[in-house]
Amino acid sequence: MMALGYAFLYLPIVSVIVYSFSGSDRATTWGGFSLKWYAALAQNEQILEAAQRSLIIAAISATAAVALGTASGLALSRFGRFPGRGILSLMNSAPMVMPDVMLGLSSLLLFVGLQQVFGWPERGMTTITLAHITLTACYVTVVVRSRMTSMDASLEEAAMDLGAKPWRVFFVITLPLIAPALLAGWLLAFTLSLDDLVIASFTSGPGSTTLPMLVYSKVKLGVTPEINALTSIIVVLVAIGVSVAGVLMHRRERKLARSQN
Amino acid sequence: MLWLALFFCVPFLIVLKISFAESVFGQVPPYTPLLETAENGATTLRLHAANYAALLADPLYIAAYLKSLLFASVSTLCCLLLGYPIAYGIARAPRLWRLLLLVLVILPFWTSSLLRTYALIGLLRANGWLSQSLVGLGLLEPGQAVLHTNLAVYIGITYNYLPFMILPLAATLIRLDFTLLEAAADLGAKPWQAFRRITLPLSFPGILAGSLLVFIPAVGEFVIPDVLGGPDALTIGRVLWTEFFTNRDWPLSAAIAVAMLLLIVLPTLLFEYIENRRVAREAQS
């Protein structure tokens, strides 16, 4: 039963990887081993440009989301009951339960309104990035918040008692302690942004097509072998990244176990 | 710490503004400046009502909402049936295996869902493996495909959201005290009885969390029904997309968004609030 479940998870991906090495022009028939789709992908300016754009947007929005998410995560877990806490908490979960189409449309309407009043932001990469920050910051908040609530506050209190200024406590004590959570949050935000088609489609302008938008327009036209190659590359990169993270986590746990004995 | 408080107000304000943008812009035809709405409240009100009347009058929208619920609930059930054994297996696995099995569940989640949906197209096409084997079993006419049917949408949503079901379930099952099962067996319970009377009730929080994580985003899903479903697979997300990009009817799409807010988001938040209160109460007692 379990094997069946895992087969279900991996069969589609494996079949795409297999076909990405097929030499036939039809994406569904096997035409001998060849690397020609990878070559085609490497020469496809359009795809490369879109990929670069997506990576830039994802990096900026993930970084901003970590900054904002850390701030609200801290506030929710350390400040006790301040006015507006309940509203903040509610507002925080709102983007998580909002359907993408809704978030996309409302962000766009907001940007159009702002543009009419202030002449900013121009629709394009800026607006996509801003919308992605809104989308991802709440996920970072949840990650940071759960880390903070499971963490002992006495270290911070001790530093305060010894006369450290609040910002110093934050940078010297809190930040190193929550660093793993920040990294996890950043990666999550990065992936979410890189993955998003719907919100980007709503908030993009002319000449700011992201990779998912390009893939979607190609997929709507039918299966294209180039996308097979692209999928395979992404899967391999992710697999490497996850394995490295897994090994590092494993090592850290072993080190911790040793240091406790 | 004060500047932090200011700092976290920014995302909060952005979200707040967005939620206002809906209610304010919901009645404005596109390209009307925001400031005008404040002056001629009468016209906006009339437009506003017209949009919502259109939503209620046309059976298409209500059908789309029901269809979204159908897709989401069937897929959630499939995720549960498929995910429970996997989560159970992970929980019972030896520690070293556990990490590997969990990583194997998370790995597909880190690859783009659009690309995973695309990967399914190859299997569901008329000449894909799944359609072919169904034809072989006599369940499909030769030449027919699973692609562009409701079944394809169920498979697509189940495939995409399965990790969201497995992770909370596995987390709950890992914490479960398996000596209880041994005790039940000692007292003469059959494995199935022990599962039904002990494991299942104790894993209920995980089932609930997993089902919500699958169901809620599945209701608003756009890509999967659009790519895998037939032309009749009109979910509410797809309707909004079409109104906006194809018909360019901004006020109507905004009205759909507000309806979504009322029908999907608010019940969820309310549920979450009640659930948190219940947990807090239980913790106190």
Side-chain angles (χ1 to χ4, degrees):
Chain A
M1 189 71 204
M2 228 176 135
L4 199 76
Y6 277 101
F8 176 64
L9 274 177
Y10 281 94
L11 200 70
I13 296 180
V14 169
S15 75
V16 163
I17 294 179
V18 168
Y19 276 113
S20 72
F21 291 110
S22 153
S24 120
D25 283 349
R26 299 267 319 278
T28 48
T29 45
W30 180 251
F33 182 85
S34 120
L35 288 173
K36 73 179 198 190
W37 297 118
Y38 289 89
L41 192 67
Q43 282 156 6
N44 189 327
E45 290 285 323
Q46 209 189 3
I47 289 190
L48 293 179
E49 255 178 46
Q52 189 192 3
R53 205 172 284 129
S54 277
L55 287 171
I56 294 172
I57 291 173
I60 297 176
S61 54
T63 310
V66 164
L68 293 175
T70 310
S72 42
L74 264 178
L76 285 170
S77 59
R78 282 286 183 270
F79 288 4
R81 309 194 62 85
F82 56 90
R85 183 169 182 276
I87 293 180
L88 176 73
S89 189
L90 190 79
M91 278 288 162
N92 217 317
S93 43
M96 289 174 132
V97 297
M98 265 193 207
D100 282 353
V101 268
M102 205 169 128
L103 207 58
L105 177 72
S106 45
S107 317
L108 172 72
L109 292 177
L110 171 74
F111 294 142
V112 170
L114 281 176
Q115 210 179 349
Q116 279 167 344
V117 180
F118 303 110
W120 183 91
E122 204 61 39
R123 266 157 73 188
M125 277 176 79
T126 322
T127 43
I128 298 178
T129 311
L130 285 172
H132 279 184
I133 295 171
T134 313
L135 168 77
T136 53
C138 55
Y139 288 92
V140 179
T141 307
V142 171
V143 174
V144 172
R145 188 182 176 181
S146 62
R147 172 84 189 117
M148 295 283 293
T149 35
S150 66
M151 203 173 76
D152 199 358
S154 56
L155 277 172
E156 293 161 31
E157 283 160 12
M160 292 265 207
D161 291 348
L162 294 170
K165 298 256 183 316
W167 60 265
R168 197 159 166 197
V169 174
F170 176 75
F171 281 108
V172 177
I173 311 278
T174 319
L175 203 58
L177 281 175
I178 57 169
L182 293 192
L183 185 66
W186 193 90
L187 282 173
L188 183 63
F190 187 81
T191 319
L192 282 170
S193 164
L194 208 55
D195 198 18
D196 166 70
L197 159 76
V198 176
I199 294 172
S201 302
F202 273 103
T203 52
S204 75
S208 63
T209 310
T210 61
L211 189 60
M213 285 164 75
L214 194 67
V215 171
Y216 174 71
S217 61
K218 282 193 187 298
V219 167
K220 283 300 269 188
L221 297 172
V223 178
T224 48
E226 274 185 355
I227 303 294
N228 285 345
L230 180 73
T231 309
S232 313
I233 293 174
I234 291 181
V235 169
V236 168
L237 286 178
V238 167
I240 292 172
V242 171
S243 320
V244 168
V247 168
L248 285 178
M249 265 169 55
H250 192 70
R251 275 201 188 153
R252 232 188 55 199
E253 282 197 1
R254 278 225 311 258
K255 227 163 78 181
L256 278 176
R258 267 210 304 272
S259 64
Q260 276 162 0
N261 294 340
Chain B
M1 280 294 179
L2 250 183
W3 69 274
L4 273 182
L6 276 177
F7 204 29
F8 83 76
C9 272
V10 178
F12 156 71
L13 282 176
I14 292 178
V15 179
L16 190 71
K17 264 190 189 154
I18 286 174
S19 40
F20 270 124
E22 262 149 19
S23 47
V24 176
F25 284 24
Q27 318 89 26
V28 190
Y31 315 118
T32 314
L34 177 67
L35 295 171
E36 227 170 82
T37 55
E39 288 156 27
N40 49 14
T43 43
T44 55
L45 268 179
R46 205 170 53 238
L47 276 167
H48 174 151
N51 282 325
Y52 290 101
L55 283 188
L56 289 173
D58 194 337
L60 171 104
Y61 299 108
I62 297 166
Y65 178 61
L66 292 175
K67 193 128 206 174
S68 307
L69 291 183
L70 172 79
F71 281 148
S73 33
V74 172
S75 310
T76 306
L77 197 66
C78 293
C79 277
L80 184 61
L81 293 176
L82 198 66
Y84 203 101
I86 298 182
Y88 191 80
I90 291 173
R92 296 303 304 257
R95 272 200 77 103
L96 260 180
W97 276 96
R98 201 183 275 173
L99 186 70
L100 182 71
L101 289 172
L102 273 174
V103 166
L104 278 177
V105 169
I106 299 169
L107 195 79
F109 161 78
W110 289 103
T111 46
S112 155
S113 72
L114 177 63
L115 289 175
R116 275 181 293 147
T117 308
Y118 162 81
L120 279 173
I121 295 180
L123 295 186
L124 302 175
R125 298 160 70 95
N127 50 6
W129 303 345
L130 186 75
S131 303
Q132 294 282 23
S133 37
L134 284 179
V135 169
L137 290 169
L139 293 169
L140 270 181
E141 300 286 314
Q144 272 195 323
V146 181
L147 191 63
H148 303 315
T149 60
N150 282 357
L151 177 64
V153 181
Y154 299 144
I155 294 176
I157 298 182
T158 307
Y159 178 57
N160 260 304
Y161 287 108
L162 192 58
F164 291 104
M165 178 66 87
I166 294 178
L167 292 177
L169 265 179
T172 318
L173 287 167
I174 284 171
R175 282 199 305 267
L176 197 108
D177 186 357
F178 283 108
T179 49
L180 290 171
L181 290 182
E182 285 167 29
D186 291 347
L187 294 169
K190 298 194 175 50
W192 167 242
Q193 262 181 323
F195 171 78
R196 212 173 49 90
R197 309 231 344 226
I198 296 171
T199 317
L200 206 57
L202 283 175
S203 61
F204 187 73
I207 293 177
L208 191 70
S211 303
L212 279 178
L213 277 179
V214 175
F215 185 82
I216 294 157
V219 174
E221 184 61 51
F222 160 78
V223 176
I224 298 171
D226 189 65
V227 173
L228 298 177
D232 62 328
L234 268 184
T235 57
I236 196 161
R238 232 178 133 180
V239 167
L240 196 153
W241 180 280
T242 321
E243 288 299 348
F244 185 84
F245 284 103
T246 317
N247 304 346
R248 300 218 162 262
D249 190 340
W250 287 29
L252 191 61
S253 18
I256 298 173
V258 176
M260 263 186 160
L261 181 77
L262 290 175
L263 293 168
I264 302 170
V265 180
L266 283 182
T268 313
L269 290 177
L270 197 69
F271 180 84
E272 198 175 304
Y273 178 73
I274 292 169
E275 192 61 21
N276 285 343
R277 283 275 296 271
R278 202 180 56 85
V279 170
R281 259 211 312 277
E282 275 181 7
Q284 272 172 358
S285 61

